[in-house]
Structure formats: C-alpha cells, structure tokens
C-alpha cells in the first residue's frame, strides 16, 4: 500500500481489530486470506515488504511488537478503514480486496492454535489474480539527431539554456541564469504543452534534465522518456523497471555525462542508458532490494563516476548504508563510504553498546553537491533507526555517527575529509539529509579574495545551518519555523541541547515536538538566487506527538518503530506552507509568504528576479525574489510536486514543472491537519510554459 506515513494509522486500526482474535478463532476464511495474500503482494508489499516486516515509514505488520498493540475493534471496522483510506493515493482497494487483505493480516498474526471460520465476513473472496509483471526495455524507439556529448567542463559551467543535473549545478543552486521571463512580463506566461505521466506506481516528484532542447524525464515505475522540448513530442521511451512502486516509488532525478543517462532505480540498481536512443548500456546492483534497500534520487557525476546514495537501510542485519561511486563507462564499483560506523572503526564508539547488526539508518536519499575547486562532494545523511533512541537501544548521549550529519568526501576514492553532525543522537525523525547548497559569501574582488566558501543546509527541525565547506566548521544558524525540540543551540559550535523529556523518553510514551516529521524543511529544495544573494526556502509548519515501540532485535526486523499523531503549529494561524528568503551573509529573514496549503516543489529562481514554486492545492506561482510579492499564478490538474526547471530553445525561455500524487510526510501530514484540501487522485503530468508574443 503506497503512502507509508498514513499506514502508521493503519497499523493501529489493524492492531485494534486483531485484539478481538484473542479467542482461538477468527471470523475470516482461509480462502479470503489466500486471496488477500495476492492483493497484498500486488498493492502493499512494495512498502511493507513481502514478509510484512516493513521498511522506512511503512511499519511491520507482524511480530510481537505489532501484536502487543491489540485492542477491541470489529473486523468490519478494520475492513471499512482499509477500503476508505488505502492506499492513500491512486485507486482505493475495492470492498472485496479490503476484506481479503484484512483476512490475510489477521490470520497471519493469529494466536497459535487458532482456527478459521468457513463463512466470509461480509462478502465472497476475491478471485486470485497474478501479480503484475515488471515491464522492462525500450517500448518506443527513436533517435536524437545531432546529439552533443556532455563534457566535464559543461557540468562545471553548464550552458545557460541547459539543465544538466539535479538542482542544475554542482553547487546545488536550483537557479537559472535565463532572464527573458521577468516580473513585468510574467503575466504573459502561458501553457506551451503538457505531457501526461503515470498516475500509478508511486510518488511523482521528478526533476527533468534538459540538454540542447531535449527533455529527459523519469517517471514512476522506472519509465524514462526523451521529449522534444519545443513541441512535447515523444522521441523514445525506456522502461528500466521495476514497473511497480518500491517504498513511496519516487524517482527524483537523473544524471547525464557524455552520451549516457544515469539513474538509480527504486529497487536499488544503477542503470546507464544511451542518451541518443534510450538503449540500455549496463546495470549494476547497488544493494539487495529484497532486504529493503531502495533509491529515490539519482546520482551526481564527478570525474566520470556516478556517485549515489542509498535508502531503505532500516532493517536489522549485517548490511549497512553507504554512498558509492560507479564508473560511467562500465558500471564497475569504484568506492564505497559507509555512513554507519561499526565497532572498531572511526566513530564506532558513538553507538553505545548497540551491536553492529542493529545500528541502522544513515540513508543518503537526496543527491549531493560538489565543489570542483576543493574537489569535495557533500552529502546529507539521514537519522538513525528506529527513530526514537528508546526504541533503538541507545541513549541521548550516543551520537550515532554518521547519522543526521553532513559528510565531505573525496570523489576520487570516497575518503572522508570532514563531517559535521547537526543533531547528535537525533531521536524524533527530524533528520538532516537534504540538499547542500554551496555559496561563496563576502566581498568579491577581481581575484576572489575576501570570499568564504560556505555550505548551507536545512533539515526537518527547520534550522538553517551555515558551515565552512573547507573544514566543516560551524559558522551560524537560523531557526526558520517554530521549534521546541532543542532548549538551546551553542552559539560557538552549533551543538544542540534536547529538552529534558526528549532525553528521558521511554517506549510507549508520547513525546510532543515541533516541527513534525513533515519537516520544517523536507525534500523540496531551496534555491540560491545569485544576483541578490538570498536563499529562498520552502518550509512547512506542523507539530506532532511520537511514541516509540519496543523493537524485536531479530534479523530482518527494525524499521521506524514509532507511532505519530499530528496537529497545527502554534502561531501559524493554520498556515502549513511558508516560503521565506534569507540573506546568505547575515542569515536575516528578508520576507516570508504563508498559506494554508504546503509547498510541494523545490524553488526555482531565475535571473529574471522570480522564484517559482508549487503547492498541494494545485497552484503554481511566481514570486518577486526581492519583495516576496506573488506576481503570477496558475492552477494545474492535481497537486504540484517535483522540481521546476527552466531551459531555452533558440531565443525562447521555458519553465517546466510536474504534478503528481503520493509521497511521504510532506504529502500525508496535511491530509490529517488540512483535510479540506482535496487534490484529484489522478493528473500526473509535465507542464511547460512560455511567454505569449
């Protein structure tokens, strides 16, 4: 079932229904359960895994921890909930499928010796259907004429009309130097063309690449397409698989180098395609996806190597999370940097007495940045798992390296240059995995002297961090939304101090915090607007309570291990969405714009003085970067989510953005606290805009 955040609620619903099964019988038939297994495999296993052990935000649906939460509810209530809410996006399960999935879960978790009934609960069992097969290979054949290979120099200094990597430049600015579209003419912006995308198989949150007028687009399920950027005509289509959702199913970005497209699939493969024809050149396993490993963002190419992160690292066992690099020509593994420190390694003493096989998390699911002058690549590392230290078996004193940190690596061998841990021992899923934006700040001279090489990043706690990117030294921070997790932050080191009750947390006890796991900031990237020296950041305002579960330390176990409930942020006046601009020198907030609907795209800023961003309520808008005034808007088919880009063909500038469904907390928390916002459950597409004459 896609949409793992809401599935936490499903766990509670199922658990309460299962409590009624304490007697040695169930109201479901074995035939219903068998049919439910088929439906589960097709619609639920991508998040909760085939063995029901869960992954990421999708919790386990079996085991002692699951059974311990039983309380009295009826099977009819359980099936009604499943039918009405699952999956959270896309087509809901019909009544029969909902009954059969409930039967499968109940009978799987029934007490030893329990028997089944011969009468179905409310309907006959569904006919068994086979699991959809994975689609692979070229499905539309075509050829891009006059293709120009992408060189290393082009990656360092991309042509103004191209968008060649995640967030456009190695520095991660999400900024376009094109200036044809300005405040005084943006009112003439109109739709040039649209391209429909897959509505199923996961969250649609992509960032198109554009090279010489060709748009390369990755969609859910592993579909890669080449489109004519002027007309929207399809040139070729390659289906690299898996053809169905894994975890939330997002594929956020591609990379391009020479004549190759590089992408990391949701089932943890690195794939190389011929950029001219879409032909598969090679594929290399990153990690075993049957163990829960997956990807949602693509690589960055440095010195002919595709450097990529890894997600789904929350299962107990011998494997651990890492960043890795692959030769673009051959797919051969070049190096690997482990983001979880084991006993006896540097940082291995920061996990307390926790055995190596139970040190989990440390995902790197957002594409990193790169400084060619320093020859360092910068990556954000996610939180430790399970989320709460009471559940994972560590204390507030155990930092858990290299989780919730920035790591700076040598791209040639993967060696660690420095790290900075933003939240040692992070314990509320308020991690720091997101974009690293590289900016030289200070007075500029002909020789560049006087400027400081800095790094900016912001995580779920909503704290904007400023670091020295040569050394990792702390330079400053700014709280961008209300937070009550940290009592204080050291002004010299940036070290945070948690509230006392967070430090003293226990399993099965609720802990309140602001922001929530929606994040003060999440995957929706900020933009650095070079002409004005400001960061424009999409933010979210919500709070939560979290309760950690007691975890079984068994191979294959693990996961997030917590329940959550959400509420509005104090002082927000019900406004979940916040867009704000910050001066890179002083970190002063220059302006902000707040609204009920959360922003679900990254920010695209341009040399025309505009910042483009989209939201859950289907609105795509342009703001004046200097003043924060909204100067243009349009309403699209469904929620606007993904990464807007700008490109040029000839003398014409285009703005492109995607709509889509699905996602984790940034999409699902507003479903709880702003239920009146109801975007359609279809309509994923690429929209391309141009100026009228």
């Amino acid at each position: 079932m896609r949409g793992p955040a809401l599935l936490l609620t499903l766990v509670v619903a199922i658990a309460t229904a299962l409590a009624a099964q304490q007697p040695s019988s169930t109201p479901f038939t074995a035939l219903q359960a068998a049919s439910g297994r088929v439906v589960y495999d097709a619609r639920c296993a991508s998040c909760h895994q085939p063995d029901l052990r869960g992954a990421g935000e999708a919790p386990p649906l079996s085991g002692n921890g699951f059974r311990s939460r039983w309380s009295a509810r009826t099977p009819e209530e359980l099936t009604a909930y499943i039918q009405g809410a699952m999956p959270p996006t896309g087509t809901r399960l019909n009544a029969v499928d909902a009954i059969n999935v409930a039967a499968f879960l109940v009978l799987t978790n029934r007490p030893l010796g329990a028997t089944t009934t011969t009468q179905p609960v409310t309907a006959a069992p569904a006919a068994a259907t086979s699991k959809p097969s994975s689609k692979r290979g070229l499905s539309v054949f075509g050829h891009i004429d006059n293709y120009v290979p992408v060189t290393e120099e082009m990656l360092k200094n991309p042509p103004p009309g191209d968008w060649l990597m995640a967030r456009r430049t190695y520095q991660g600015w999400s900024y376009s130097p094109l200036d044809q579209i300005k405040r005084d003419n943006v009112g003439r912006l109109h739709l040039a063309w649209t391209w429909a995308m897959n509505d199923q198989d996961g969250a649609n949150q992509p960032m198109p690449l554009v090279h010489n007028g060709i748009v390369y687009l990755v969609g859910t399920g592993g579909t890669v397409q080449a489109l004519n950027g002027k007309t929207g005509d399809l040139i070729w289509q390659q289906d690299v698989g898996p053809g169905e959702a894994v975890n939330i199913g997002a594929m956020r970005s591609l990379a391009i180098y020479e004549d190759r497209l590089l992408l990391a699939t949701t089932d943890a493969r690195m794939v190389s395609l011929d950029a001219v024809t879409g032909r598969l050149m090679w594929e290399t396993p990153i990690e075993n996806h049957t163990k829960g490993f997956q990807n949602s963002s693509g690589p960055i190419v440095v010195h002919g190597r595709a450097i990529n992160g890894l997600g789904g690292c929350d299962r107990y066992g011998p494997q651990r999370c890492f960043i890795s690099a692959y030769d673009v020509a051959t797919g051969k593994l070049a190096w690997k940097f482990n983001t979880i420190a084991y006993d006896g390694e540097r940082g291995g003493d920061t996990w307390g007495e926790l055995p190596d096989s139970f040190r989990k998390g440390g995902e790197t699911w957002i594409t990193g940045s790169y400084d060619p002058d320093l020859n360092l690549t910068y990556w954000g590392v996610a939180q430790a798992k399970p989320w709460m230290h009471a559940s994972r078996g560590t204390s507030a004193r155990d930092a858990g390296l290299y989780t919730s940190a920035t790591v700076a690596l040598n791209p040639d061998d993967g060696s660690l240059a420095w790290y900075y841990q933003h939240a040692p021992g992070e314990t509320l899923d308020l991690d720091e995995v997101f974009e690293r934006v590289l900016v030289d700040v200070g007075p500029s001279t002909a020789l560049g002297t006087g400027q400081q090489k800095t790094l900016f990043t912001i995580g779920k706690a909503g704290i904007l961090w400023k670091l020295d990117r040569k050394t990792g030294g702390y330079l400053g921070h700014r709280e961008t939304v209300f937070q009550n997790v940290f009592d204080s932050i050291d002004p010299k080191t940036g070290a945070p101090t948690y509230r006392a009750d967070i430090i003293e947390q226990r399993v099965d006890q609720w802990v309140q915090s602001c922001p929530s796991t929606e994040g003060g900031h999440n995957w929706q990237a900020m933009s650095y607007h070079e002409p004005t020296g400001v960061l424009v950041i999409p933010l979210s305002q919500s709070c939560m309570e979290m309760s950690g579960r007691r975890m079984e330390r068994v191979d294959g176990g693990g996961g997030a291990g917590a329940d959550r409930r959400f509420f509005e942020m104090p002082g927000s006046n019900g406004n979940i969405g916040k867009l704000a601009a910050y001066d890179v020198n002083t970190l002063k907030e220059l302006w902000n714009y707040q609204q009920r609907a959360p922003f679900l795209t990254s920010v695209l800023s341009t040399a025309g003085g505009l910042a483009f961003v989209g939201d859950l309520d289907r609105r795509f808008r342009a703001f004046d970067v200097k003043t924060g005034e909204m100067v243009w808007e349009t309403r699209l088919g469904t929620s606007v989510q993904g990464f807007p880009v700008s490109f040029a063909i000839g003398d014409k500038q285009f703005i492109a953005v995607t709509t889509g469904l699905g996602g984790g907390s940034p999409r699902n928390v507003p479903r709880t606290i702003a239920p009146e916002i109801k975007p359609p459950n279809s309509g994923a597409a690429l929209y391309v805009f141009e100026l009228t004459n």
Side-chain angles (χ1 to χ4, degrees):
M1 295 178 184
R2 296 182 294 274
L6 280 187
L7 295 179
L8 295 171
T9 309
L10 173 59
V11 171
V12 176
I14 295 173
T16 57
L18 291 176
Q21 310 313 315
Q22 290 289 359
S24 59
S25 64
T26 81
F28 294 110
T29 70
L31 187 56
Q32 283 179 313
S35 296
R37 167 92 249 191
V38 174
V39 177
Y40 178 91
D41 285 345
R43 303 293 301 279
C44 313
S46 60
C47 286
H48 290 280
Q49 305 301 307
D51 58 7
L52 282 73
R53 289 190 182 274
E57 293 191 14
L61 299 181
S62 65
N64 291 337
F66 176 71
R67 298 188 188 100
S68 69
R69 307 190 70 82
W70 293 0
S71 60
R73 292 281 291 277
T74 68
E76 287 78 12
E77 288 177 293
L78 168 61
T79 54
Y81 178 85
I82 294 174
Q83 184 184 358
M86 294 296 134
T89 60
T91 304
R92 297 279 192 262
L93 295 181
N94 61 40
V96 173
D97 284 347
I99 291 167
N100 292 338
V101 169
F104 166 62
L105 295 173
V106 168
L107 268 63
T108 299
N109 285 277
R110 63 185 173 179
L112 292 175
T115 60
T116 61
T117 182
T118 58
Q119 298 296 320
V121 174
T122 58
T129 58
S130 61
K131 186 177 180 179
S133 60
S134 297
K135 52 185 180 180
R136 295 285 183 89
L138 276 167
S139 55
V140 176
F141 294 82
H143 187 279
I144 296 172
D145 297 327
N146 303 314
Y147 179 84
V148 177
V150 175
T151 65
E152 189 166 330
E153 182 58 33
M154 291 167 69
L155 293 180
K156 291 180 182 178
N157 299 287
D162 279 5
W163 196 285
L164 298 179
M165 68 180 73
R167 307 188 299 276
R168 191 177 182 274
T169 61
Y170 275 142
Q171 293 74 25
W173 288 1
S174 296
Y175 166 78
S176 170
L178 300 175
D179 62 0
Q180 184 181 79
I181 301 170
K182 310 174 188 290
R183 177 186 173 120
D184 60 3
N185 65 14
V186 70
R188 295 194 284 115
L189 204 61
H190 79 289
L191 187 64
W193 55 267
T194 62
W195 178 259
M197 301 181 70
N198 185 12
D199 274 329
Q200 305 299 322
D201 297 327
N204 200 50
Q205 302 168 351
M207 178 183 294
L209 295 189
V210 187
H211 177 46
N212 277 359
I214 303 299
V215 176
Y216 294 100
L217 184 64
V218 59
T220 59
T223 298
V224 183
Q225 298 164 323
L227 306 170
N228 183 310
K230 188 174 184 179
T231 66
D233 292 331
L234 179 65
I235 300 172
W236 56 253
Q237 176 172 314
Q238 167 71 254
D239 297 300
V240 301
E244 59 196 14
V246 175
N247 201 356
I248 68 170
M251 298 186 69
R252 297 186 181 91
S253 60
L254 296 159
I256 189 169
Y257 180 63
E258 295 182 339
D259 60 350
R260 304 291 180 92
L261 290 174
L262 292 307
L263 69 151
T265 65
T266 56
D267 59 349
R269 290 173 289 127
M270 182 66 70
V271 174
S272 172
L273 305 179
D274 183 338
V276 176
T277 66
R279 180 170 60 94
L280 178 67
M281 304 301 289
W282 53 257
E283 64 175 42
T284 298
I286 299 173
E287 188 47 283
N288 185 351
H289 76 276
T290 66
K291 301 293 186 181
F293 295 101
Q294 46 86 17
N295 279 105
S296 60
S297 295
I300 185 172
V301 175
V302 178
H303 300 163
R305 289 172 174 168
I307 306 173
N308 203 78
L310 183 63
C313 307
D314 55 0
R315 280 190 167 192
Y316 293 148
Q319 298 93 347
R320 52 178 161 169
C321 228
F322 54 82
I323 301 166
S324 52
Y326 303 84
D327 185 277
V328 170
T330 66
K332 183 179 178 180
L333 176 68
W335 55 258
K336 182 186 294 187
F337 172 80
N338 293 309
T339 59
I340 298 295
Y342 275 1
D343 190 38
E345 299 175 347
R346 178 183 179 184
D349 58 350
T350 63
W351 289 83
E353 300 301 318
L354 197 64
D356 289 346
S357 60
F358 302 118
R359 301 179 180 190
K360 295 301 162 186
E363 292 88 348
T364 48
W365 53 274
I366 295 293
T367 306
S369 303
Y370 172 62
D371 184 334
D373 295 331
L374 298 177
N375 195 34
L376 292 176
T377 182
Y378 305 91
W379 293 74
V381 184
Q383 74 282 61
K385 305 292 192 311
W387 287 336
M388 303 187 80
H389 69 71
S391 295
R392 63 178 175 256
T394 57
S395 75
R397 297 184 302 274
D398 299 322
L401 289 174
Y402 295 92
T403 62
S404 290
T406 297
V407 294
L409 307 177
N410 183 317
D412 300 320
D413 59 12
S415 59
L416 179 68
W418 57 259
Y419 74 89
Y420 181 88
Q421 193 169 33
H422 304 272
E426 198 287 313
T427 189
L428 292 169
D429 184 29
L430 300 178
D431 61 299
E432 303 284 340
V433 73
F434 309 108
E435 70 276 12
R436 267 59 187 165
V437 177
L438 314 182
V439 181
D440 294 344
V441 302
S444 178
T445 69
L447 298 177
T449 57
Q451 291 190 314
Q452 184 170 28
K453 288 182 172 292
T454 63
L455 177 152
F456 293 90
T457 189
I458 179 171
K460 288 186 181 181
I463 297 171
L464 176 62
W465 301 95
K466 184 177 182 179
L467 304 179
D468 184 318
R469 70 176 186 268
K470 288 183 179 180
T471 65
Y474 166 80
L475 298 176
H477 74 275
R478 170 79 188 203
E479 296 184 22
T480 63
V481 298
F482 172 72
Q483 72 86 16
N484 61 9
V485 175
F486 304 124
D487 278 340
S488 64
I489 298 176
D490 190 296
K492 294 183 179 180
T493 66
T497 300
Y498 279 102
R499 281 191 348 243
D501 61 317
I502 295 175
I503 294 173
E504 297 162 2
Q505 66 186 239
R506 299 288 185 269
V507 294
D508 296 322
Q509 291 183 359
W510 291 97
V511 176
Q512 182 273 333
S513 64
C514 299
S516 78
T517 54
E518 179 185 18
H521 182 69
N522 208 294
W523 61 263
Q524 309 97 300
M526 63 178 142
S527 177
Y528 173 59
H529 187 254
E530 183 181 23
T532 56
V534 302
L535 298 166
V536 186
I537 309 177
L539 303 163
S540 294
Q541 301 179 122
S542 63
C543 300
M544 69 175 179
E545 290 182 315
M546 179 179 285
S547 174
R549 307 188 201 109
R550 198 172 305 279
M551 305 299 291
E552 289 183 280
R553 290 198 191 165
V554 295
D555 190 66
D563 297 317
R564 295 166 295 171
R565 48 199 186 203
F566 304 100
F567 52 93
E568 292 182 356
M569 179 175 284
S572 68
N573 197 30
N575 290 315
I576 304 170
K578 178 181 178 181
L579 187 70
Y582 299 88
D583 183 280
V584 295
N585 289 289
T586 65
L587 297 181
K588 179 183 178 182
E589 183 178 283
L590 302 177
W591 56 259
N592 74 74
Y593 179 96
Q594 299 188 45
Q595 62 177 41
R596 179 67 165 160
F599 295 104
L600 285 184
T601 73
S602 68
V603 175
L604 161 68
S605 69
T606 70
L610 299 174
F612 292 87
V613 67
D615 67 31
L616 177 65
D617 203 25
R618 304 191 287 126
R619 288 181 169 86
F620 185 48
R621 292 182 165 125
F623 293 83
D624 186 309
V625 171
K626 291 184 179 180
T627 67
E629 180 185 357
M630 193 263 289
V631 295
W632 174 85
E633 74 172 333
T634 188
R635 211 165 190 204
L636 305 181
T638 192
S639 56
V640 190
Q641 56 186 52
F643 296 79
V645 305
S646 187
F647 62 94
I649 301 177
D651 60 356
K652 179 163 287 191
Q653 180 183 359
F654 296 87
I655 304 291
V657 69
T658 54
T659 55
L661 314 172
S665 293
R667 172 80 186 225
N668 293 325
V669 171
R671 189 189 303 272
T672 301
I673 63 176
E676 75 278 7
I677 303 175
K678 297 181 175 68
N681 282 323
S682 62
L686 173 66
Y687 292 78
V688 178
F689 297 87
E690 64 182 355
L691 291 175
T692 56
N693 295 324

